[in-house]
Amino acid sequence: MKHKSIDRNRLILTVLAFTSLALLFATVIGLLYYNNRIEVLSSGGNEQINKFRYVYAFIADDTDDSLSDSLYKDMVEYGKANDCYVERVGSGLASEYSKQELFNIAIYSKVDGIIVQGDGSKETDELISRADNAGIPVITVLTDNKNSARKSFVGMNDFSVGTEYGKQIVSAAKGGLKEAGDTVTVLILMNSQDSNQNTILSAIQERVASANPAGPSIKLTTETISSSTAFSIQENVKDLLDSYTTLPDIIVCLSDINTRSVYQCIVESNRVGSTRILGYYDSDTVIKAIERGSVYATFTVATDQMAKYCVDALNEYKNMGNVSEYFSTNYELITIDTLLVKQQGNGKDKNEED
């Protein structure tokens, strides 16, 4: 029995050792790949990066995020027009890397600045400090790490966004048509350190309460969705919706992937029309859902403005040595009515051209 126990322990240690070596190998390969990519571009590669004064790295939380993709494209376009090149760290690599590994790649490559999608966590605070100690300024975007060494934060006014969500909840509610009142569930991505979603939720609660001074006819609840990977988010959303015998009257999504996951699950389970969805971001999927009446409304981020502020903030810090700590960006509410107005406007412009 003793020999079997020893053999088992040796096997466990061997597996752990090989796993650690594999992870180390993958990280080293990533570092070498990214550094080689920078060197190739700098020596006159396809993007002719040597023409630009600065090279900035963009680190996103989720590679399967329409918002991050759109933001990155706008950063690249605006950056090239303003003497800098923005590279998305981790793109083109065979394996997925953690935020820590992506930071290591960026720091090792000696980029001139980092733009990172914040998450409010202490772990990201430490990564930002590591970059700052290496002389690389960091800008947080979408979500802040306000207790970190970041130079500036670029994002929306969360309280204003939450207030607008609250208005739309009141507008979407059936009100007096239901004696028991409307049920509203707000989906929040799991990150206890992220104050942005908490601020939005507080503003939603305040606006809904003010609309029902005699006693709330809208019952507001929250559900937390695991955000470790895009797949886990989709699975958790599906499990949550399957657990409902009757769906909430309104489901509020505070992220792009939550919105797409909820819509997809409701379509696949043939429950379209059973709830009203208030979404986040104007991905093609969400826009089509609004046109079909499956999504009530969504909020879109002005990614072009956000990209501009991120690049300008780093350029300003590199050139001047200081920069404003906060840049507030615009947002837009999209409903079927606003889509129809845009379509009519586009049709009018086309007719005028003809």
Side-chain angles (χ1 to χ4, degrees):
M1 294 292 292
K2 185 175 181 180
H3 288 296
K4 288 184 178 180
S5 178
I6 292 174
D7 290 341
R8 187 181 302 163
N9 290 337
R10 285 177 179 173
L11 178 61
I12 292 173
L13 289 173
T14 302
V15 171
L16 289 174
F18 274 109
T19 302
S20 299
L21 286 173
L23 291 173
L24 177 62
F25 179 75
T27 302
V28 170
I29 291 297
L31 291 171
L32 292 175
Y33 173 89
Y34 191 75
N35 191 54
N36 179 67
R37 178 171 169 76
I38 293 294
E39 289 178 354
V40 169
L41 293 174
S42 298
S43 62
N46 293 332
E47 298 294 345
Q48 297 183 345
I49 199 173
N50 53 305
K51 291 184 177 182
F52 300 99
R53 184 178 182 184
Y54 298 123
V55 177
Y56 298 142
F58 174 53
I59 299 175
D61 271 349
D62 183 12
T63 56
D64 184 31
D65 183 12
S66 302
L67 175 55
S68 297
D69 290 341
S70 178
L71 179 58
Y72 173 61
K73 289 176 183 177
D74 287 333
M75 285 180 185
V76 172
E77 183 178 348
Y78 183 77
K80 287 180 179 179
N82 288 271
D83 205 18
C84 57
Y85 182 84
V86 182
E87 173 77 7
R88 185 166 184 170
V89 185
S91 62
L93 300 180
S95 303
E96 290 189 9
Y97 290 84
S98 67
K99 183 174 283 187
Q100 179 177 349
E101 290 167 330
L102 295 178
F103 258 89
N104 288 338
I105 291 173
I107 294 171
Y108 178 83
S109 302
K110 297 180 181 179
V111 296
D112 297 298
I114 296 174
I115 302 167
V116 61
Q117 185 176 344
D119 55 20
S121 70
K122 292 182 180 179
E123 290 77 9
T124 299
D125 287 348
E126 293 172 359
L127 294 173
I128 293 173
S129 294
R130 189 183 305 171
D132 188 65
N133 291 336
I136 301 174
V138 179
I139 302 295
T140 52
V141 64
L142 291 171
T143 301
D144 196 15
N145 281 71
K146 60 183 178 181
N147 296 320
S148 71
R150 57 90 170 140
K151 303 305 179 186
S152 185
F153 166 60
V154 178
M156 299 181 293
N157 184 316
D158 296 316
F159 192 84
S160 177
V161 172
T163 300
E164 193 61 44
Y165 265 116
K167 290 179 181 178
Q168 293 306 310
I169 289 172
V170 173
S171 175
K174 297 181 177 66
L177 298 179
K178 291 185 64 179
E179 290 185 13
D182 292 273
T183 56
V184 180
T185 296
V186 182
L187 302 189
I188 299 177
L189 288 180
M190 184 184 292
N191 192 334
S192 59
Q193 302 297 323
D194 181 358
S195 63
N196 295 58
Q197 291 185 104
N198 294 332
T199 302
I200 292 174
L201 180 59
S202 296
I204 290 174
Q205 293 169 332
E206 184 175 314
R207 180 64 183 83
V208 169
S210 67
N212 302 281
S217 61
I218 297 175
K219 299 177 181 178
L220 199 64
T221 60
T222 61
E223 293 286 353
T224 303
I225 304 297
S226 172
S227 57
S228 55
T229 65
F231 179 76
S232 68
I233 292 173
Q234 293 166 357
E235 286 297 304
N236 278 283
V237 167
K238 183 179 184 303
D239 291 342
L240 172 65
L241 297 186
D242 286 345
S243 70
Y244 287 114
T245 303
T246 302
L247 289 174
D249 295 301
I250 301 169
I251 299 177
V252 181
C253 304
L254 302 185
S255 72
D256 168 43
I257 191 166
N258 269 357
T259 306
R260 288 184 285 125
S261 297
V262 168
Y263 171 65
Q264 182 178 347
C265 289
I266 287 177
V267 170
E268 290 177 351
S269 61
N270 295 317
R271 301 168 87 178
V272 173
S274 300
T275 184
R276 292 184 171 186
I277 303 171
L278 280 176
Y280 182 83
Y281 193 57
D282 58 338
S283 64
D284 291 340
T285 300
V286 174
I287 292 300
K288 289 178 182 177
I290 292 176
E291 292 174 342
R292 295 167 181 168
S294 305
V295 171
Y296 182 77
T298 192
F299 289 86
T300 182
V301 181
T303 56
D304 55 344
Q305 183 188 47
M306 193 169 280
K308 175 183 183 301
Y309 286 168
C310 287
V311 173
D312 284 348
L314 279 177
N315 282 347
E316 183 176 339
Y317 186 82
K318 296 293 292 185
N319 296 330
M320 306 295 294
N322 56 70
V323 65
S324 173
E325 288 192 5
Y326 174 54
F327 291 87
S328 178
T329 57
N330 298 329
Y331 62 88
E332 179 187 359
L333 173 69
I334 298 179
T335 65
I336 186 60
D337 292 334
T338 61
L339 286 179
L340 289 174
V341 169
K342 284 185 178 181
Q343 290 171 359
Q344 291 172 357
N346 292 335
K348 182 179 179 181
D349 293 340
K350 186 177 181 180
N351 291 333
E352 288 177 352
E353 289 177 3
D354 294 341

